[in-house]
Amino acid sequence: GRVPVKAQPRRRLRDPNRVDGRHQELQLRRQRKEAVLAEKRSLGSRDGPPHLVVVVLLHSRAAAQDSLRLLQSQDSAAVRADEGGAGGFALLCPRLKQRWRFVTAQAGDLHAVLDLAKVADSLLFILDPVDGWDSAGEHCLSCLFAQGLPSYALAVPGGADLPPKKRIDARKKLSKCIEKRFPEAKLFPLNTEQESSLLLRHLSSQKQRHLAFRARRAHLLARAAEFVPSQDTDLVGTLKVSGFVRGQTLSVNSLVHIVGHGDFQLSQVDAPPDPLSLNPRVVKGQKRSQQDMEVQDDSGNGAVEMEEDVKVLMKADPSKQESLQSEVVPDPMEGEQTWPTEEELQEAEDSLKANRRVVKVPKGTSKYQAAWIVDDGEEGSEKDDDDDEDDDMDDDLMEEAVSQEEESSEEEEAGEEESETMTVSECLRDEQYDEKMEEDEQMLERYKQERMDEMFPDEVDTPRDVPARVRFQKYRGLKSFRTSPWDPKENLPRDYARIFQFQDFSRTRKNLFRQIEKEETEGASVGWYVTLHVCNVPVSVMESFKEGKPLVLFSLLPHEQKMSVLNFLVRRHPGNSEPVRAKEELIFHCGFRRFRASPLFSQHTSADKHKLERFLRPDAALVVTVYAPITFPPASVLLFKQRSNGMHDLIATGSLLSVDPDRIVIKRLVLSGHPFKIFTKMAVVRYMFFNREDVMWFKPVELRTKWGRRGHIKEPLGTHGHMKCHFDGQLKSQDTVLLNLYKRVFPKWTYDPHVPEPVPWVRSESALPEQEVEME
């Protein structure tokens, strides 16, 4: 019964008592609390980045300029305007030891609002004192809530000109409307300097909300930018972007993603003086000493000073730098195929050139007619009869061309003579109206297809002109959709040779996130004001920045520039009811990326096979599958559909589910037949097939009926597709016999990183949150 001495400490570690457990939980709570307080104190302080506040107008009558003027008129606060085309201003309060940066999102520019919300510390919503927000503001709020809402505040300027009774009623009505969108929000009036100071104090002291996709990546909102064209061309060059580092430490060897423009490499990181320092003299001396130490540590041979006060923090190391390769280059010889050599290809091209000839042909001649025309050099080698026929053909073609020209000239002359008395405005109006009617007819056809798919899911008609064994040769039957095996590596398309795949994606993701939390990355720390040298950037990025569009940069985690198969779990947005068919082009806002692609829809189940859905269902969550760059979840996703007039409708919202090319999406086809003669357990079925060979081909596939009977094909009868079937019970005369066929489907490679700018929404001023307004 003796116990060794060495076993006692292990047992204590393995089985701690209740007091030790409580003490450990108390220590963890204290650590979390101290981390939250440290983060809140650093935001907007001398050592941290300025508190970034994005002003969002939710109504066309919202007074933004008056609100910003009140915020600038703080006691002992210095106001500094932003450089470049980004707009906004900075507010420095040395007495409060706080600094803010206010940026106003352009009204109606959805991309600008979403991009700024990705990096904002707080959102300041400007409301109308009577209506709150209009239809465009409601659309903007829906997108912001789906993407992920940071900390926010609600400000209501104006309303002082209303009578006191109407002012109180409007305030009650507005509070009641806001409860649905913002249950715990507080309305801040913004009419005096005292109210603006209360709003600033609330913004600086409120709890910060974390967006998961930006907390693990370094990000930066450009305050200034400069474009240096390359030596070869003016269209591509180096973009110098200056701003404050947020989120995580920024490494010069990692890739950066400019939102809306693509992935790029960094060449170096500079450390200019902080333009928003609370105490310039003291901070400048401290920064110089810190930067000198870092430069000596990072570069052994000494750093080169770019300017008097600008130091080079670090330069990219080609051996450690991430590659921009996004696709695998497939090897054509990997499948042991014979491939023509370059000499053989050159010989084939020379032979084609030798066979080509230049022939003069009449205007309007097709390629088929030109191939039969013989030029002068070949007349001697041809027979006389052939020459006569070719000449006759040439004469006919010439006469047709001349007659067509004469008719067109006569029509033009007639049109010129009639144009003096025609009324063009009504015709143009009718044509425009007819174009709208064509769109309505297309929409009606989509509604019919969606309705038929709901009533008769996956049912198709067996073709009469093509044998069913040829039409459905790529399909197979399954004993059980849930339990029958299906090899995920079987019959993969060529596009799968271009993508990257993880052996275990979840394990790779956990290791990366653990490395970010524990290991310290060398680079620019959070709160530093740096200048990033981004290589090979098109000049269009600088042009959009000069136009006032925000320039947002995100650092990429390893592998996030590579292409793979992404699966998103989405749910239909309740404000949109138009039918959305699979493989239609949609616009994706996934985390910090946006792109265009044509996705597949499939059911969200726990099985290893998932049935394809032909339409985006309004009543269930579906999985959307596309080819896209790898992104590590969690990340929100928004799906938009572009109208013919350029506006973007919010179709669905959700999150990134997984990066898994082995997810099997199965398309199901259902062939239907009708019982012709019914016996005890036997029945003669017709109209499923129309020839004897098809019946023999699909004989091994199991049959089922809509009323739950199961059976199989016993033998064909005759030569017109009738077949004798055996079932597990007697059929009803009104029952329908079904045969299920399955085929694995893959998404199309339609990834396009360039998304067109949306047209601003048409505002409806009478829209309130509880009312449904039809957008035009």
Side-chain angles (χ1 to χ4, degrees):
R2 294 181 60 186
V3 180
V5 180
K6 293 182 179 180
Q8 289 292 342
R10 292 182 182 176
R11 184 177 295 176
R12 287 175 185 171
L13 288 174
R14 198 164 52 245
D15 301 326
N17 56 19
R18 190 174 297 176
V19 178
D20 294 339
R22 288 179 179 175
H23 183 61
Q24 190 174 4
E25 291 175 1
L26 181 62
Q27 286 181 329
L28 291 175
R29 281 200 298 271
R30 283 178 181 172
Q31 289 177 2
R32 296 193 196 101
K33 188 176 180 181
E34 289 173 358
V36 171
L37 289 175
E39 183 183 3
K40 183 182 292 187
R41 292 183 187 122
S42 66
L43 182 62
S45 65
R46 186 186 66 181
D47 300 327
H51 193 130
L52 180 58
V53 181
V54 175
V55 181
V56 182
L57 306 180
L58 295 182
H59 201 283
S60 58
R61 294 198 303 262
Q65 297 299 327
D66 299 339
S67 306
L68 297 178
R69 201 175 295 114
L70 281 173
L71 293 171
Q72 293 177 13
S73 62
Q74 297 295 316
D75 295 336
S76 68
V79 179
R80 296 184 184 178
D82 274 359
E83 304 172 8
F89 66 92
L91 192 66
L92 307 178
C93 296
R95 183 173 59 85
L96 300 175
K97 298 181 180 180
Q98 286 286 324
R99 52 181 181 171
W100 289 272
R101 184 185 173 193
F102 289 87
V103 179
T104 305
Q106 294 182 359
D109 192 348
L110 181 63
H111 284 178
V113 174
L114 293 178
D115 291 348
L116 288 171
K118 289 179 174 69
V119 293
D121 296 315
S122 299
L123 295 181
L124 179 59
F125 294 115
I126 306 296
L127 280 69
D128 183 71
V130 179
D131 294 332
W133 53 78
D134 55 11
S135 57
E138 174 73 14
H139 178 66
C140 180
L141 283 177
S142 299
C143 299
L144 286 174
F145 272 90
Q147 178 180 267
L149 200 66
S151 304
Y152 61 87
L154 304 177
V156 186
D161 53 345
L162 296 174
K165 188 175 181 182
K166 287 188 176 180
R167 196 185 312 165
I168 295 173
D169 294 342
R171 184 65 180 260
K172 289 181 180 178
K173 183 181 178 182
L174 189 59
S175 300
K176 188 177 180 181
C177 296
I178 285 172
E179 285 180 0
K180 295 185 177 181
R181 278 285 189 185
F182 309 97
E184 300 176 357
K186 179 183 178 183
L187 281 175
F188 287 88
L190 196 58
N191 298 314
T192 62
E193 294 183 6
Q194 185 178 3
E195 291 173 346
S196 66
S197 62
L198 288 174
L199 177 60
L200 279 179
R201 184 171 298 178
H202 171 73
L203 287 172
S204 60
S205 61
Q206 68 178 347
K207 183 180 178 181
Q208 291 297 313
R209 293 185 174 187
H210 289 278
L211 298 182
F213 70 89
R214 77 179 185 187
R216 294 186 174 94
R217 299 171 179 87
H219 51 277
L220 178 144
L221 176 64
R223 187 178 183 271
E226 179 186 356
F227 184 78
V228 180
S230 62
Q231 298 177 356
D232 301 333
T233 176
D234 295 338
L235 301 177
V236 178
T238 300
L239 185 67
K240 299 180 180 179
V241 184
S242 300
F244 291 91
V245 180
R246 302 172 184 272
Q248 295 288 335
T249 303
L250 178 62
S251 174
V252 70
N253 294 320
S254 62
L255 300 178
V256 293
H257 176 79
I258 301 179
V259 177
H261 298 283
D263 304 335
F264 304 94
Q265 286 181 331
L266 298 176
S267 59
Q268 71 180 40
V269 178
D270 299 340
D274 190 349
L276 304 180
S277 58
L278 292 172
N279 192 356
R281 293 181 181 177
V282 178
V283 175
K284 194 171 182 181
Q286 290 179 356
K287 278 209 164 186
R288 274 187 174 175
S289 62
Q290 291 177 2
Q291 290 169 1
D292 290 340
M293 292 173 61
E294 287 160 2
V295 167
Q296 292 175 5
D297 293 339
D298 292 340
S299 58
N301 54 1
V304 182
E305 291 189 3
M306 299 292 291
E307 296 176 5
E308 185 180 355
D309 291 334
V310 178
K311 301 288 185 182
V312 179
L313 279 182
M314 60 199 78
K315 289 190 175 182
D317 186 1
S319 61
K320 298 180 181 178
Q321 200 170 20
E322 288 280 346
S323 172
L324 280 172
Q325 181 186 1
S326 61
E327 299 179 17
V328 179
V329 179
D331 185 8
M333 300 299 293
E334 189 176 358
E336 298 181 2
Q337 298 175 354
T338 57
W339 204 256
T341 62
E342 294 182 0
E343 297 177 356
E344 294 173 345
L345 291 174
Q346 188 65 32
E347 289 178 3
E349 191 172 353
D350 294 341
S351 64
L352 285 175
K353 288 181 179 178
N355 293 330
R356 290 174 186 166
R357 56 193 177 96
V358 179
V359 183
K360 290 184 179 180
V361 296
K363 190 175 181 180
T365 307
S366 65
K367 291 182 179 179
Y368 178 76
Q369 293 170 335
W372 290 91
I373 295 176
V374 182
D375 54 0
D376 297 336
E378 296 178 351
E379 286 183 357
S381 61
E382 297 290 340
K383 294 183 180 180
D384 295 336
D385 296 337
D386 296 334
D387 293 341
D388 296 337
E389 291 174 3
D390 292 333
D391 292 337
D392 294 337
M393 185 179 292
D394 287 344
D395 294 337
D396 294 340
L397 291 172
M398 288 294 291
E399 290 175 3
E400 290 177 6
V402 170
S403 62
Q404 288 177 2
E405 290 180 358
E406 290 176 356
E407 289 175 3
S408 63
S409 62
E410 290 174 1
E411 289 174 2
E412 289 176 0
E413 291 174 1
E416 291 175 357
E417 293 174 359
E418 295 174 359
S419 63
E420 297 179 357
T421 58
M422 284 178 63
T423 56
V424 182
S425 59
E426 293 183 0
C427 296
L428 289 175
R429 192 179 305 163
D430 292 340
E431 289 178 359
Q432 292 176 356
Y433 191 80
D434 289 341
E435 290 178 359
K436 293 182 180 179
M437 292 302 295
E438 290 177 0
E439 292 181 3
D440 290 345
E441 290 178 0
Q442 294 176 0
M443 188 61 66
L444 178 61
E445 184 64 27
R446 288 182 181 176
Y447 276 115
K448 285 182 178 179
Q449 292 176 0
E450 186 180 29
R451 180 63 177 164
M452 290 297 292
D453 188 59
E454 289 180 1
M455 294 173 62
F456 307 100
D458 303 325
E459 287 193 33
V460 296
D461 294 331
T462 307
R464 300 290 300 269
D465 53 346
V466 181
R469 63 186 183 279
V470 177
R471 168 64 180 84
F472 307 119
Q473 60 185 348
K474 294 184 179 180
Y475 291 81
R476 68 178 71 174
L478 293 179
K479 178 72 174 176
S480 170
F481 182 81
R482 186 178 62 86
T483 60
S484 296
W486 197 301
D487 186 6
K489 304 296 184 184
E490 176 187 1
N491 292 334
L492 297 179
R494 286 180 175 269
D495 290 334
Y496 263 53
R498 302 165 58 185
I499 64 172
F500 290 85
Q501 184 173 1
F502 295 96
Q503 188 174 5
D504 190 343
F505 177 74
S506 60
R507 184 176 62 186
T508 306
R509 173 178 169 271
K510 287 180 182 178
N511 292 339
L512 270 176
F513 289 174
R514 192 181 299 116
Q515 184 178 356
I516 291 172
E517 292 176 359
K518 293 185 178 180
E519 298 183 7
E520 295 184 1
T521 308
E522 295 182 359
S525 299
V526 178
W528 289 6
Y529 185 76
V530 296
T531 299
L532 307 180
H533 294 245
V534 190
C535 305
N536 300 325
V537 179
V539 69
S540 59
V541 180
M542 189 65 194
E543 292 174 355
S544 66
F545 180 70
K546 288 181 179 178
E547 292 174 359
K549 305 288 179 62
L551 188 59
V552 179
L553 281 78
F554 273 85
S555 68
L556 297 182
L557 298 178
H559 315 298
E560 283 197 326
Q561 80 279 11
K562 300 172 182 176
M563 296 290 292
S564 188
V565 179
L566 270 64
N567 302 304
F568 306 101
L569 180 61
V570 301
R571 187 176 287 273
R572 187 73 178 264
H573 189 260
N576 189 285
S577 60
E578 293 183 3
V580 180
R581 195 178 180 87
K583 299 182 182 179
E584 282 189 32
E585 186 180 70
L586 300 179
I587 297 172
F588 289 75
H589 286 242
C590 174
F592 52 87
R593 292 186 187 273
R594 58 173 175 261
F595 54 88
R596 291 186 292 176
S598 300
L600 293 179
F601 303 144
S602 58
Q603 293 180 353
H604 179 50
T605 58
S606 59
D608 61 339
K609 295 180 291 295
H610 311 274
K611 193 177 84 67
L612 176 77
E613 291 288 349
R614 289 175 169 80
F615 289 88
L616 189 61
R617 300 293 182 191
D619 54 349
L622 296 181
V623 175
V624 177
T625 304
V626 291
Y627 290 109
I630 293 170
T631 305
F632 289 99
S636 59
V637 62
L638 286 75
L639 269 63
F640 292 89
K641 186 178 178 182
Q642 186 171 359
R643 293 188 193 173
S644 57
N645 58 2
M647 294 174 61
H648 290 182
D649 289 336
L650 183 61
I651 297 296
T653 60
S655 60
L656 177 59
L657 179 65
S658 65
V659 180
D660 185 14
D662 287 341
R663 189 176 192 274
I664 301 175
V665 180
I666 302 294
K667 180 179 181 180
R668 184 181 71 173
L669 286 185
V670 179
L671 304 181
S672 58
H674 302 278
F676 177 48
K677 296 179 180 178
I678 300 175
F679 304 101
T680 307
K681 289 189 176 182
M682 301 289 292
V684 178
V685 180
R686 61 180 177 178
Y687 301 149
M688 183 177 287
F689 303 109
F690 298 102
N691 57 69
R692 184 183 184 91
E693 290 77 12
D694 287 344
V695 177
M696 297 300 296
W697 180 269
F698 290 100
K699 187 177 179 181
V701 184
E702 187 182 25
L703 301 176
R704 67 178 183 89
T705 70
K706 289 191 175 182
W707 287 18
R709 301 287 90 186
R710 291 193 174 270
H712 60 274
I713 301 173
K714 198 168 184 64
E715 59 180 354
L717 297 177
T719 60
H720 289 78
H722 289 208
M723 54 186 182
K724 185 186 294 185
C725 303
H726 183 273
F727 293 92
D728 58 356
Q730 187 169 6
L731 293 186
K732 303 292 183 181
S733 60
Q734 61 269 35
D735 203 351
T736 305
V737 181
L738 305 176
L739 184 142
N740 293 340
L741 298 175
Y742 302 94
K743 180 185 74 170
R744 184 179 179 183
V745 291
F746 302 91
K748 298 287 186 182
W749 194 288
T750 54
Y751 171 76
D752 185 6
H754 304 290
V755 177
E757 292 291 332
V759 175
W761 271 64
V762 178
R763 291 181 175 270
S764 173
E765 295 187 358
S766 61
L768 285 175
E770 68 266 16
Q771 297 175 352
E772 292 184 2
V773 179
E774 184 177 359
M775 307 299 173
E776 295 184 356

